Short mmCIF file of all heavy atoms in Angstrom, two decimals:
data_model
loop_
_atom_site.label_atom_id
_atom_site.label_comp_id
_atom_site.label_asym_id
_atom_site.label_seq_id
_atom_site.Cartn_x
_atom_site.Cartn_y
_atom_site.Cartn_z
N LEU A 6 9.16 2.72 -6.35
CA LEU A 6 7.83 2.10 -6.40
C LEU A 6 7.70 1.21 -7.62
O LEU A 6 7.15 0.12 -7.57
CB LEU A 6 6.74 3.17 -6.39
CG LEU A 6 5.29 2.67 -6.37
CD1 LEU A 6 5.08 1.66 -5.24
CD2 LEU A 6 4.33 3.82 -6.22
N LEU A 7 8.25 1.65 -8.75
CA LEU A 7 8.17 0.85 -9.96
C LEU A 7 8.96 -0.44 -9.82
O LEU A 7 8.52 -1.52 -10.23
CB LEU A 7 8.68 1.64 -11.16
CG LEU A 7 7.86 2.88 -11.53
CD1 LEU A 7 8.51 3.60 -12.70
CD2 LEU A 7 6.44 2.48 -11.88
N LEU A 8 10.15 -0.37 -9.23
CA LEU A 8 10.96 -1.56 -9.05
C LEU A 8 10.29 -2.55 -8.12
O LEU A 8 10.34 -3.76 -8.31
CB LEU A 8 12.35 -1.17 -8.51
CG LEU A 8 13.26 -0.45 -9.51
CD1 LEU A 8 14.54 -0.01 -8.81
CD2 LEU A 8 13.59 -1.34 -10.70
N SER A 9 9.61 -2.04 -7.10
CA SER A 9 8.97 -2.92 -6.13
C SER A 9 7.81 -3.69 -6.73
O SER A 9 7.40 -4.70 -6.21
CB SER A 9 8.46 -2.11 -4.94
OG SER A 9 7.37 -1.30 -5.33
N ALA A 10 7.29 -3.19 -7.87
CA ALA A 10 6.15 -3.85 -8.50
C ALA A 10 6.52 -4.36 -9.89
O ALA A 10 5.65 -4.54 -10.72
CB ALA A 10 4.98 -2.89 -8.60
N SER A 11 7.80 -4.64 -10.13
CA SER A 11 8.24 -4.98 -11.47
C SER A 11 7.56 -6.22 -12.02
O SER A 11 7.38 -6.38 -13.20
CB SER A 11 9.76 -5.18 -11.49
OG SER A 11 10.13 -6.23 -10.60
N SER A 12 7.15 -7.14 -11.14
CA SER A 12 6.51 -8.35 -11.63
C SER A 12 5.15 -8.09 -12.22
O SER A 12 4.62 -8.89 -12.96
CB SER A 12 6.36 -9.35 -10.46
OG SER A 12 5.53 -8.81 -9.47
N ALA A 13 4.56 -6.92 -11.91
CA ALA A 13 3.20 -6.64 -12.37
C ALA A 13 3.16 -5.78 -13.61
O ALA A 13 2.12 -5.65 -14.22
CB ALA A 13 2.40 -5.95 -11.26
N VAL A 14 4.28 -5.16 -14.00
CA VAL A 14 4.19 -4.13 -15.01
C VAL A 14 4.75 -4.54 -16.36
O VAL A 14 4.82 -3.74 -17.27
CB VAL A 14 4.90 -2.84 -14.55
CG1 VAL A 14 4.25 -2.33 -13.30
CG2 VAL A 14 6.38 -3.10 -14.31
N HIS A 15 5.18 -5.78 -16.54
CA HIS A 15 5.75 -6.18 -17.82
C HIS A 15 4.74 -6.89 -18.70
O HIS A 15 5.05 -7.30 -19.80
CB HIS A 15 6.97 -7.07 -17.60
CG HIS A 15 8.10 -6.32 -16.96
ND1 HIS A 15 8.77 -5.29 -17.59
CD2 HIS A 15 8.68 -6.45 -15.73
CE1 HIS A 15 9.71 -4.82 -16.79
NE2 HIS A 15 9.66 -5.49 -15.67
N SER A 16 3.51 -7.08 -18.22
CA SER A 16 2.48 -7.72 -19.01
C SER A 16 2.03 -6.81 -20.14
O SER A 16 2.02 -5.60 -20.01
CB SER A 16 1.27 -8.07 -18.13
OG SER A 16 0.18 -8.43 -18.92
N SER A 17 1.63 -7.40 -21.26
CA SER A 17 1.12 -6.61 -22.38
C SER A 17 -0.40 -6.52 -22.34
O SER A 17 -1.02 -6.00 -23.26
CB SER A 17 1.55 -7.25 -23.70
OG SER A 17 1.05 -8.57 -23.79
N GLU A 18 -1.03 -7.01 -21.28
CA GLU A 18 -2.49 -6.99 -21.19
C GLU A 18 -3.02 -5.57 -21.11
O GLU A 18 -2.37 -4.68 -20.59
CB GLU A 18 -2.96 -7.75 -19.94
CG GLU A 18 -2.60 -9.22 -19.93
CD GLU A 18 -3.04 -9.84 -18.62
OE1 GLU A 18 -4.19 -9.61 -18.22
OE2 GLU A 18 -2.22 -10.53 -18.00
N ARG A 19 -4.24 -5.39 -21.61
CA ARG A 19 -4.96 -4.14 -21.38
C ARG A 19 -5.71 -4.22 -20.07
O ARG A 19 -5.70 -5.25 -19.39
CB ARG A 19 -5.94 -3.92 -22.55
CG ARG A 19 -5.26 -3.62 -23.88
CD ARG A 19 -4.85 -2.16 -23.97
NE ARG A 19 -4.19 -1.86 -25.22
CZ ARG A 19 -4.83 -1.45 -26.30
NH1 ARG A 19 -6.14 -1.34 -26.29
NH2 ARG A 19 -4.17 -1.14 -27.39
N LEU A 20 -6.37 -3.15 -19.73
CA LEU A 20 -7.14 -3.13 -18.48
C LEU A 20 -8.15 -4.27 -18.47
O LEU A 20 -8.72 -4.63 -19.48
CB LEU A 20 -7.88 -1.79 -18.37
CG LEU A 20 -8.55 -1.47 -17.06
CD1 LEU A 20 -7.54 -1.38 -15.95
CD2 LEU A 20 -9.28 -0.13 -17.17
N LEU A 21 -8.33 -4.86 -17.31
CA LEU A 21 -9.23 -6.00 -17.19
C LEU A 21 -10.60 -5.68 -17.76
O LEU A 21 -11.13 -4.59 -17.60
CB LEU A 21 -9.39 -6.36 -15.69
CG LEU A 21 -8.09 -6.73 -14.97
CD1 LEU A 21 -8.40 -6.95 -13.50
CD2 LEU A 21 -7.47 -7.96 -15.59
N GLN A 22 -11.18 -6.65 -18.46
CA GLN A 22 -12.49 -6.45 -19.05
C GLN A 22 -13.56 -6.31 -17.96
O GLN A 22 -13.41 -6.85 -16.86
CB GLN A 22 -12.84 -7.63 -19.96
CG GLN A 22 -12.01 -7.67 -21.23
CD GLN A 22 -12.22 -6.41 -22.07
OE1 GLN A 22 -13.34 -6.03 -22.36
NE2 GLN A 22 -11.12 -5.76 -22.43
N PRO A 23 -14.64 -5.60 -18.24
CA PRO A 23 -15.68 -5.41 -17.21
C PRO A 23 -16.26 -6.74 -16.73
O PRO A 23 -16.38 -7.69 -17.51
CB PRO A 23 -16.75 -4.59 -17.95
CG PRO A 23 -16.05 -3.98 -19.11
CD PRO A 23 -14.95 -4.93 -19.48
N ILE A 24 -16.59 -6.78 -15.47
CA ILE A 24 -17.27 -7.97 -14.94
C ILE A 24 -18.66 -8.06 -15.55
O ILE A 24 -19.31 -7.05 -15.80
CB ILE A 24 -17.37 -7.85 -13.40
CG1 ILE A 24 -15.95 -7.76 -12.81
CG2 ILE A 24 -18.11 -9.03 -12.81
CD1 ILE A 24 -15.92 -7.40 -11.35
N ALA A 25 -19.11 -9.26 -15.85
CA ALA A 25 -20.41 -9.47 -16.48
C ALA A 25 -21.52 -8.84 -15.63
O ALA A 25 -21.42 -8.81 -14.40
CB ALA A 25 -20.66 -10.95 -16.68
N PRO A 26 -22.59 -8.34 -16.27
CA PRO A 26 -23.65 -7.66 -15.53
C PRO A 26 -24.27 -8.48 -14.39
O PRO A 26 -24.73 -7.91 -13.42
CB PRO A 26 -24.70 -7.36 -16.62
CG PRO A 26 -23.90 -7.31 -17.88
CD PRO A 26 -22.79 -8.32 -17.71
N ASN A 27 -24.27 -9.82 -14.50
CA ASN A 27 -24.89 -10.61 -13.44
C ASN A 27 -23.93 -10.86 -12.27
O ASN A 27 -24.24 -11.58 -11.34
CB ASN A 27 -25.39 -11.95 -14.00
CG ASN A 27 -24.25 -12.80 -14.57
OD1 ASN A 27 -23.14 -12.32 -14.68
ND2 ASN A 27 -24.57 -14.04 -14.90
N SER A 28 -22.74 -10.28 -12.31
CA SER A 28 -21.80 -10.42 -11.22
C SER A 28 -21.04 -9.13 -11.06
O SER A 28 -19.92 -8.98 -11.53
CB SER A 28 -20.81 -11.58 -11.52
OG SER A 28 -19.86 -11.68 -10.48
N ARG A 29 -21.65 -8.18 -10.37
CA ARG A 29 -21.12 -6.81 -10.33
C ARG A 29 -20.36 -6.52 -9.04
O ARG A 29 -20.24 -5.38 -8.63
CB ARG A 29 -22.25 -5.81 -10.51
CG ARG A 29 -22.80 -5.76 -11.90
CD ARG A 29 -24.01 -4.84 -11.97
NE ARG A 29 -23.76 -3.54 -11.34
CZ ARG A 29 -23.19 -2.51 -11.94
NH1 ARG A 29 -22.82 -2.61 -13.20
NH2 ARG A 29 -23.01 -1.37 -11.31
N GLN A 30 -19.83 -7.52 -8.40
CA GLN A 30 -19.12 -7.29 -7.13
C GLN A 30 -18.03 -6.23 -7.32
O GLN A 30 -17.21 -6.33 -8.22
CB GLN A 30 -18.48 -8.57 -6.63
CG GLN A 30 -17.71 -8.38 -5.33
CD GLN A 30 -17.20 -9.68 -4.78
OE1 GLN A 30 -17.58 -10.73 -5.23
NE2 GLN A 30 -16.34 -9.59 -3.78
N GLY A 31 -18.06 -5.22 -6.46
CA GLY A 31 -17.01 -4.21 -6.50
C GLY A 31 -17.30 -3.04 -7.40
O GLY A 31 -16.55 -2.08 -7.37
N LEU A 32 -18.37 -3.07 -8.19
CA LEU A 32 -18.69 -1.92 -9.02
C LEU A 32 -19.90 -1.22 -8.42
O LEU A 32 -21.03 -1.70 -8.51
CB LEU A 32 -19.01 -2.36 -10.46
CG LEU A 32 -17.80 -2.85 -11.26
CD1 LEU A 32 -18.25 -3.33 -12.64
CD2 LEU A 32 -16.77 -1.76 -11.40
N PRO A 33 -19.71 -0.09 -7.76
CA PRO A 33 -20.81 0.59 -7.07
C PRO A 33 -21.86 1.10 -8.04
O PRO A 33 -21.55 1.77 -9.01
CB PRO A 33 -20.13 1.74 -6.33
CG PRO A 33 -18.87 1.98 -7.10
CD PRO A 33 -18.44 0.66 -7.64
N GLY A 34 -23.09 0.75 -7.79
CA GLY A 34 -24.20 1.21 -8.63
C GLY A 34 -24.93 2.35 -7.94
O GLY A 34 -24.70 2.66 -6.77
N PRO A 35 -25.85 3.03 -8.67
CA PRO A 35 -26.53 4.20 -8.10
C PRO A 35 -27.37 3.88 -6.88
O PRO A 35 -27.63 4.75 -6.06
CB PRO A 35 -27.39 4.69 -9.27
CG PRO A 35 -27.50 3.53 -10.22
CD PRO A 35 -26.24 2.73 -10.04
N ALA A 36 -27.80 2.61 -6.75
CA ALA A 36 -28.67 2.27 -5.61
C ALA A 36 -27.88 1.81 -4.38
O ALA A 36 -28.45 1.62 -3.32
CB ALA A 36 -29.65 1.17 -6.02
N GLN A 37 -26.57 1.62 -4.55
CA GLN A 37 -25.80 1.10 -3.42
C GLN A 37 -25.67 2.13 -2.31
O GLN A 37 -25.36 3.29 -2.57
CB GLN A 37 -24.40 0.68 -3.87
CG GLN A 37 -23.56 0.08 -2.74
CD GLN A 37 -22.17 -0.33 -3.20
OE1 GLN A 37 -21.95 -0.47 -4.39
NE2 GLN A 37 -21.29 -0.53 -2.25
N ARG A 38 -25.90 1.70 -1.09
CA ARG A 38 -25.74 2.58 0.06
C ARG A 38 -24.35 2.37 0.65
O ARG A 38 -23.80 1.26 0.59
CB ARG A 38 -26.80 2.27 1.13
CG ARG A 38 -28.22 2.61 0.70
CD ARG A 38 -29.17 2.56 1.90
NE ARG A 38 -29.16 1.25 2.52
CZ ARG A 38 -29.94 0.25 2.15
NH1 ARG A 38 -30.78 0.40 1.13
NH2 ARG A 38 -29.90 -0.92 2.77
N PRO A 39 -23.78 3.42 1.27
CA PRO A 39 -22.49 3.27 1.93
C PRO A 39 -22.53 2.16 2.97
O PRO A 39 -23.52 2.01 3.69
CB PRO A 39 -22.25 4.63 2.56
CG PRO A 39 -23.05 5.57 1.73
CD PRO A 39 -24.27 4.80 1.33
N LEU A 40 -21.44 1.40 3.07
CA LEU A 40 -21.40 0.23 3.94
C LEU A 40 -20.87 0.52 5.35
O LEU A 40 -20.92 -0.35 6.20
CB LEU A 40 -20.54 -0.85 3.30
CG LEU A 40 -21.03 -1.39 1.95
CD1 LEU A 40 -20.09 -2.48 1.46
CD2 LEU A 40 -22.45 -1.92 2.08
#
């Protein structure tokens, strides 16, 4: 599995920074209903 994804794992980046509060696509909030 690691070899199959080798192109993705050599970056020195940290986890992606949070999306700005005015664009929360993909971050489920307490008011979100199941889709």
Side-chain angles (χ1 to χ4, degrees):
L6 183 51
L7 295 178
L8 289 174
S9 69
S11 60
S12 62
V14 299
H15 293 295
S16 167
S17 60
E18 297 177 48
R19 292 279 179 91
L20 190 62
L21 301 176
Q22 290 299 309
I24 300 170
N27 62 351
S28 178
R29 288 174 50 85
Q30 179 175 349
L32 290 177
Q37 182 180 343
R38 293 192 302 272
L40 298 181

